[in-house]
PDB file of all heavy atoms in Angstrom:
ATOM      1  N   ALA P 618      33.731 -86.050   8.054  1.00  0.00           N
ATOM      2  CA  ALA P 618      34.282 -85.040   7.140  1.00  0.00           C
ATOM      3  C   ALA P 618      33.511 -85.178   5.818  1.00  0.00           C
ATOM      4  O   ALA P 618      33.413 -86.375   5.384  1.00  0.00           O
ATOM      5  CB  ALA P 618      35.840 -85.378   6.893  1.00  0.00           C
ATOM      6  N   LYS P 622      28.562 -80.644   6.465  1.00  0.00           N
ATOM      7  CA  LYS P 622      28.062 -79.978   7.788  1.00  0.00           C
ATOM      8  C   LYS P 622      28.196 -78.461   7.774  1.00  0.00           C
ATOM      9  O   LYS P 622      27.298 -77.696   8.186  1.00  0.00           O
ATOM     10  CB  LYS P 622      28.961 -80.500   8.907  1.00  0.00           C
ATOM     11  CG  LYS P 622      28.761 -81.896   9.311  1.00  0.00           C
ATOM     12  CD  LYS P 622      29.499 -82.351  10.600  1.00  0.00           C
ATOM     13  CE  LYS P 622      30.922 -82.056  10.520  1.00  0.00           C
ATOM     14  NZ  LYS P 622      31.783 -82.793   9.696  1.00  0.00           N
ATOM     15  N   ASP P 639      31.906 -73.229  13.797  1.00  0.00           N
ATOM     16  CA  ASP P 639      32.560 -74.425  13.241  1.00  0.00           C
ATOM     17  C   ASP P 639      33.603 -74.887  14.227  1.00  0.00           C
ATOM     18  O   ASP P 639      34.722 -74.247  14.438  1.00  0.00           O
ATOM     19  CB  ASP P 639      33.232 -74.008  11.904  1.00  0.00           C
ATOM     20  CG  ASP P 639      34.194 -74.978  11.183  1.00  0.00           C
ATOM     21  OD1 ASP P 639      34.335 -76.123  11.795  1.00  0.00           O
ATOM     22  OD2 ASP P 639      34.786 -74.632  10.169  1.00  0.00           O
ATOM     23  N   THR P 640      33.355 -75.934  15.034  1.00  0.00           N
ATOM     24  CA  THR P 640      34.329 -76.257  15.996  1.00  0.00           C
ATOM     25  C   THR P 640      35.599 -77.058  15.361  1.00  0.00           C
ATOM     26  O   THR P 640      36.648 -77.079  16.024  1.00  0.00           O
ATOM     27  CB  THR P 640      33.647 -77.296  17.102  1.00  0.00           C
ATOM     28  OG1 THR P 640      33.213 -78.470  16.399  1.00  0.00           O
ATOM     29  CG2 THR P 640      32.425 -76.564  17.677  1.00  0.00           C
ATOM     30  N   GLY P 641      35.417 -77.645  14.124  1.00  0.00           N
ATOM     31  CA  GLY P 641      36.526 -78.464  13.565  1.00  0.00           C
ATOM     32  C   GLY P 641      37.653 -77.365  13.297  1.00  0.00           C
ATOM     33  O   GLY P 641      38.847 -77.629  13.424  1.00  0.00           O
ATOM     34  N   ALA P 642      37.235 -76.057  12.941  1.00  0.00           N
ATOM     35  CA  ALA P 642      38.220 -74.999  12.751  1.00  0.00           C
ATOM     36  C   ALA P 642      39.088 -74.867  13.992  1.00  0.00           C
ATOM     37  O   ALA P 642      40.280 -74.468  13.918  1.00  0.00           O
ATOM     38  CB  ALA P 642      37.596 -73.701  12.355  1.00  0.00           C
ATOM     39  N   TYR P 644      39.904 -77.144  16.270  1.00  0.00           N
ATOM     40  CA  TYR P 644      40.860 -78.355  16.366  1.00  0.00           C
ATOM     41  C   TYR P 644      41.935 -78.171  15.148  1.00  0.00           C
ATOM     42  O   TYR P 644      43.123 -78.464  15.498  1.00  0.00           O
ATOM     43  CB  TYR P 644      40.118 -79.603  16.123  1.00  0.00           C
ATOM     44  CG  TYR P 644      39.327 -80.019  17.377  1.00  0.00           C
ATOM     45  CD1 TYR P 644      37.990 -79.613  17.500  1.00  0.00           C
ATOM     46  CD2 TYR P 644      39.797 -80.581  18.431  1.00  0.00           C
ATOM     47  CE1 TYR P 644      37.163 -79.862  18.534  1.00  0.00           C
ATOM     48  CE2 TYR P 644      39.135 -80.944  19.571  1.00  0.00           C
ATOM     49  CZ  TYR P 644      37.807 -80.524  19.671  1.00  0.00           C
ATOM     50  OH  TYR P 644      37.123 -80.693  20.763  1.00  0.00           O
ATOM     51  N   ARG P 645      41.526 -77.681  14.102  1.00  0.00           N
ATOM     52  CA  ARG P 645      42.492 -77.447  12.996  1.00  0.00           C
ATOM     53  C   ARG P 645      43.577 -76.396  13.460  1.00  0.00           C
ATOM     54  O   ARG P 645      44.745 -76.499  13.136  1.00  0.00           O
ATOM     55  CB  ARG P 645      41.824 -76.947  11.805  1.00  0.00           C
ATOM     56  CG  ARG P 645      40.934 -78.031  11.088  1.00  0.00           C
ATOM     57  CD  ARG P 645      40.115 -77.408   9.992  1.00  0.00           C
ATOM     58  NE  ARG P 645      39.274 -78.413   9.366  1.00  0.00           N
ATOM     59  CZ  ARG P 645      39.790 -79.076   8.261  1.00  0.00           C
ATOM     60  NH1 ARG P 645      40.945 -78.777   7.637  1.00  0.00           N
ATOM     61  NH2 ARG P 645      39.086 -80.144   7.760  1.00  0.00           N
ATOM     62  N   ARG P 694      42.966 -75.163   6.269  1.00  0.00           N
ATOM     63  CA  ARG P 694      42.186 -76.003   5.424  1.00  0.00           C
ATOM     64  C   ARG P 694      43.013 -76.980   4.625  1.00  0.00           C
ATOM     65  O   ARG P 694      42.522 -77.759   3.798  1.00  0.00           O
ATOM     66  CB  ARG P 694      41.364 -75.145   4.360  1.00  0.00           C
ATOM     67  CG  ARG P 694      40.376 -74.221   5.076  1.00  0.00           C
ATOM     68  CD  ARG P 694      39.234 -75.108   5.560  1.00  0.00           C
ATOM     69  NE  ARG P 694      38.634 -74.484   6.789  1.00  0.00           N
ATOM     70  CZ  ARG P 694      37.910 -75.076   7.655  1.00  0.00           C
ATOM     71  NH1 ARG P 694      37.572 -76.302   7.490  1.00  0.00           N
ATOM     72  NH2 ARG P 694      37.427 -74.538   8.744  1.00  0.00           N
ATOM     73  N   SER P 699      44.183 -80.958   8.157  1.00  0.00           N
ATOM     74  CA  SER P 699      43.043 -81.826   8.436  1.00  0.00           C
ATOM     75  C   SER P 699      43.407 -83.157   9.297  1.00  0.00           C
ATOM     76  O   SER P 699      42.776 -83.477  10.235  1.00  0.00           O
ATOM     77  CB  SER P 699      42.383 -82.377   7.107  1.00  0.00           C
ATOM     78  OG  SER P 699      42.037 -81.295   6.304  1.00  0.00           O
ATOM     79  N   ALA P 702      44.453 -82.060  12.724  1.00  0.00           N
ATOM     80  CA  ALA P 702      43.334 -81.794  13.520  1.00  0.00           C
ATOM     81  C   ALA P 702      42.651 -83.130  14.175  1.00  0.00           C
ATOM     82  O   ALA P 702      42.204 -83.125  15.278  1.00  0.00           O
ATOM     83  CB  ALA P 702      42.189 -81.055  12.711  1.00  0.00           C
ATOM     84  N   SER P 703      42.544 -84.118  13.253  1.00  0.00           N
ATOM     85  CA  SER P 703      41.956 -85.301  13.592  1.00  0.00           C
ATOM     86  C   SER P 703      42.927 -85.925  14.799  1.00  0.00           C
ATOM     87  O   SER P 703      42.474 -86.575  15.776  1.00  0.00           O
ATOM     88  CB  SER P 703      41.936 -86.320  12.487  1.00  0.00           C
ATOM     89  OG  SER P 703      41.397 -87.547  12.672  1.00  0.00           O
ATOM     90  N   GLY P 706      42.513 -83.975  18.080  1.00  0.00           N
ATOM     91  CA  GLY P 706      41.110 -84.180  18.538  1.00  0.00           C
ATOM     92  C   GLY P 706      41.056 -85.445  19.406  1.00  0.00           C
ATOM     93  O   GLY P 706      40.098 -85.653  20.107  1.00  0.00           O
ATOM     94  N   ARG P 712      40.648 -81.427  24.028  1.00  0.00           N
ATOM     95  CA  ARG P 712      39.228 -81.368  23.989  1.00  0.00           C
ATOM     96  C   ARG P 712      38.750 -80.719  25.293  1.00  0.00           C
ATOM     97  O   ARG P 712      37.853 -79.825  25.163  1.00  0.00           O
ATOM     98  CB  ARG P 712      38.620 -82.856  24.039  1.00  0.00           C
ATOM     99  CG  ARG P 712      39.061 -83.737  22.935  1.00  0.00           C
ATOM    100  CD  ARG P 712      38.000 -84.900  22.735  1.00  0.00           C
ATOM    101  NE  ARG P 712      36.835 -84.367  22.001  1.00  0.00           N
ATOM    102  CZ  ARG P 712      36.876 -84.109  20.816  1.00  0.00           C
ATOM    103  NH1 ARG P 712      37.888 -84.372  20.044  1.00  0.00           N
ATOM    104  NH2 ARG P 712      35.739 -83.619  20.070  1.00  0.00           N
ATOM    105  N   GLY P 732      30.397 -80.369  14.308  1.00  0.00           N
ATOM    106  CA  GLY P 732      31.611 -81.097  14.857  1.00  0.00           C
ATOM    107  C   GLY P 732      31.418 -82.531  14.948  1.00  0.00           C
ATOM    108  O   GLY P 732      30.850 -83.093  13.919  1.00  0.00           O
ATOM    109  N   ARG P 733      32.013 -83.190  15.915  1.00  0.00           N
ATOM    110  CA  ARG P 733      31.854 -84.674  15.990  1.00  0.00           C
ATOM    111  C   ARG P 733      31.189 -85.046  17.256  1.00  0.00           C
ATOM    112  O   ARG P 733      30.550 -86.171  17.336  1.00  0.00           O
ATOM    113  CB  ARG P 733      33.356 -85.296  16.013  1.00  0.00           C
ATOM    114  CG  ARG P 733      34.164 -84.977  14.928  1.00  0.00           C
ATOM    115  CD  ARG P 733      33.679 -85.526  13.648  1.00  0.00           C
ATOM    116  NE  ARG P 733      34.582 -85.343  12.444  1.00  0.00           N
ATOM    117  CZ  ARG P 733      34.704 -84.316  11.836  1.00  0.00           C
ATOM    118  NH1 ARG P 733      34.233 -83.262  12.115  1.00  0.00           N
ATOM    119  NH2 ARG P 733      35.621 -84.168  10.754  1.00  0.00           N
ATOM    120  N   ASP P 734      31.315 -84.226  18.325  1.00  0.00           N
ATOM    121  CA  ASP P 734      30.934 -84.536  19.591  1.00  0.00           C
ATOM    122  C   ASP P 734      29.902 -83.504  20.223  1.00  0.00           C
ATOM    123  O   ASP P 734      29.768 -83.410  21.514  1.00  0.00           O
ATOM    124  CB  ASP P 734      31.972 -84.651  20.591  1.00  0.00           C
ATOM    125  CG  ASP P 734      32.783 -83.337  20.684  1.00  0.00           C
ATOM    126  OD1 ASP P 734      32.763 -82.532  19.754  1.00  0.00           O
ATOM    127  OD2 ASP P 734      33.525 -83.168  21.653  1.00  0.00           O
ATOM    128  N   ILE P 735      29.279 -82.674  19.305  1.00  0.00           N
ATOM    129  CA  ILE P 735      28.476 -81.601  19.949  1.00  0.00           C
ATOM    130  C   ILE P 735      27.213 -82.209  20.635  1.00  0.00           C
ATOM    131  O   ILE P 735      26.949 -81.792  21.722  1.00  0.00           O
ATOM    132  CB  ILE P 735      28.117 -80.572  18.777  1.00  0.00           C
ATOM    133  CG1 ILE P 735      29.343 -80.179  17.912  1.00  0.00           C
ATOM    134  CG2 ILE P 735      27.315 -79.299  19.278  1.00  0.00           C
ATOM    135  CD1 ILE P 735      30.488 -79.504  18.751  1.00  0.00           C
ATOM    136  N   ARG P 760      35.092 -83.352  -1.453  1.00  0.00           N
ATOM    137  CA  ARG P 760      36.219 -82.804  -0.845  1.00  0.00           C
ATOM    138  C   ARG P 760      37.282 -82.557  -2.070  1.00  0.00           C
ATOM    139  O   ARG P 760      37.980 -81.648  -2.008  1.00  0.00           O
ATOM    140  CB  ARG P 760      36.957 -83.666   0.066  1.00  0.00           C
ATOM    141  CG  ARG P 760      36.630 -83.430   1.579  1.00  0.00           C
ATOM    142  CD  ARG P 760      37.339 -82.318   2.066  1.00  0.00           C
ATOM    143  NE  ARG P 760      36.318 -81.334   2.948  1.00  0.00           N
ATOM    144  CZ  ARG P 760      36.329 -81.343   4.286  1.00  0.00           C
ATOM    145  NH1 ARG P 760      37.193 -82.054   4.864  1.00  0.00           N
ATOM    146  NH2 ARG P 760      35.514 -80.631   4.920  1.00  0.00           N
ATOM    147  N   ARG P 783      40.531 -90.660   8.357  1.00  0.00           N
ATOM    148  CA  ARG P 783      40.034 -89.654   9.391  1.00  0.00           C
ATOM    149  C   ARG P 783      38.756 -90.234  10.095  1.00  0.00           C
ATOM    150  O   ARG P 783      38.635 -90.034  11.268  1.00  0.00           O
ATOM    151  CB  ARG P 783      39.822 -88.306   8.790  1.00  0.00           C
ATOM    152  CG  ARG P 783      39.988 -87.112   9.420  1.00  0.00           C
ATOM    153  CD  ARG P 783      40.645 -86.054   8.871  1.00  0.00           C
ATOM    154  NE  ARG P 783      40.049 -85.486   7.726  1.00  0.00           N
ATOM    155  CZ  ARG P 783      39.163 -84.417   7.854  1.00  0.00           C
ATOM    156  NH1 ARG P 783      38.846 -83.988   9.059  1.00  0.00           N
ATOM    157  NH2 ARG P 783      38.658 -83.809   6.881  1.00  0.00           N
ATOM    158  N   ASP P 787      38.505 -90.613  14.045  1.00  0.00           N
ATOM    159  CA  ASP P 787      37.552 -89.921  14.829  1.00  0.00           C
ATOM    160  C   ASP P 787      36.455 -90.861  15.606  1.00  0.00           C
ATOM    161  O   ASP P 787      36.022 -90.456  16.541  1.00  0.00           O
ATOM    162  CB  ASP P 787      36.701 -88.940  13.863  1.00  0.00           C
ATOM    163  CG  ASP P 787      37.650 -87.805  13.309  1.00  0.00           C
ATOM    164  OD1 ASP P 787      38.704 -87.696  13.656  1.00  0.00           O
ATOM    165  OD2 ASP P 787      37.203 -87.243  12.327  1.00  0.00           O
ATOM    166  N   ARG P 790      38.817 -93.039  18.603  1.00  0.00           N
ATOM    167  CA  ARG P 790      39.584 -92.523  19.663  1.00  0.00           C
ATOM    168  C   ARG P 790      38.879 -92.822  20.927  1.00  0.00           C
ATOM    169  O   ARG P 790      37.619 -92.981  21.118  1.00  0.00           O
ATOM    170  CB  ARG P 790      39.763 -91.044  19.381  1.00  0.00           C
ATOM    171  CG  ARG P 790      38.552 -90.235  19.524  1.00  0.00           C
ATOM    172  CD  ARG P 790      38.753 -88.861  19.156  1.00  0.00           C
ATOM    173  NE  ARG P 790      37.464 -88.024  19.298  1.00  0.00           N
ATOM    174  CZ  ARG P 790      37.207 -86.976  18.547  1.00  0.00           C
ATOM    175  NH1 ARG P 790      38.020 -86.654  17.512  1.00  0.00           N
ATOM    176  NH2 ARG P 790      36.182 -86.393  18.806  1.00  0.00           N
TER     177      ARG P 790
HETATM  178  O1   DC C1247      35.012 -80.801  10.768  1.00  0.00           O
HETATM  179  P1   DC C1247      36.508 -80.764  10.200  1.00  0.00           P
HETATM  180  O2   DC C1247      36.832 -81.628   9.110  1.00  0.00           O
HETATM  181  O3   DC C1247      36.916 -79.351  10.017  1.00  0.00           O
HETATM  182  O4   DC C1247      37.307 -81.292  11.553  1.00  0.00           O
HETATM  183  C1   DC C1247      38.653 -81.547  11.593  1.00  0.00           C
HETATM  184  C2   DC C1247      39.132 -82.610  12.564  1.00  0.00           C
HETATM  185  O5   DC C1247      38.795 -81.996  13.851  1.00  0.00           O
HETATM  186  C3   DC C1247      38.272 -83.904  12.532  1.00  0.00           C
HETATM  187  O6   DC C1247      38.709 -84.925  11.768  1.00  0.00           O
HETATM  188  C4   DC C1247      38.178 -84.184  14.049  1.00  0.00           C
HETATM  189  C5   DC C1247      38.332 -83.056  14.766  1.00  0.00           C
HETATM  190  N1   DC C1247      37.168 -82.513  15.433  1.00  0.00           N
HETATM  191  C6   DC C1247      36.887 -83.117  16.683  1.00  0.00           C
HETATM  192  O7   DC C1247      37.648 -83.880  17.218  1.00  0.00           O
HETATM  193  N2   DC C1247      35.751 -82.657  17.351  1.00  0.00           N
HETATM  194  C7   DC C1247      34.993 -81.669  16.783  1.00  0.00           C
HETATM  195  N3   DC C1247      33.912 -81.105  17.531  1.00  0.00           N
HETATM  196  C8   DC C1247      35.342 -81.155  15.494  1.00  0.00           C
HETATM  197  C9   DC C1247      36.453 -81.630  14.822  1.00  0.00           C
END
Side-chain angles (χ1 to χ4, degrees):
K622 295 189 302 294
D639 170 1
T640 65
Y644 289 90
R645 287 168 180 271
R694 295 289 148 197
S699 305
S703 183
R712 303 204 76 80
R733 303 293 186 285
D734 60 337
I735 309 302
R760 267 287 140 100
R783 209 136 67 86
D787 296 346
R790 65 185 183 212

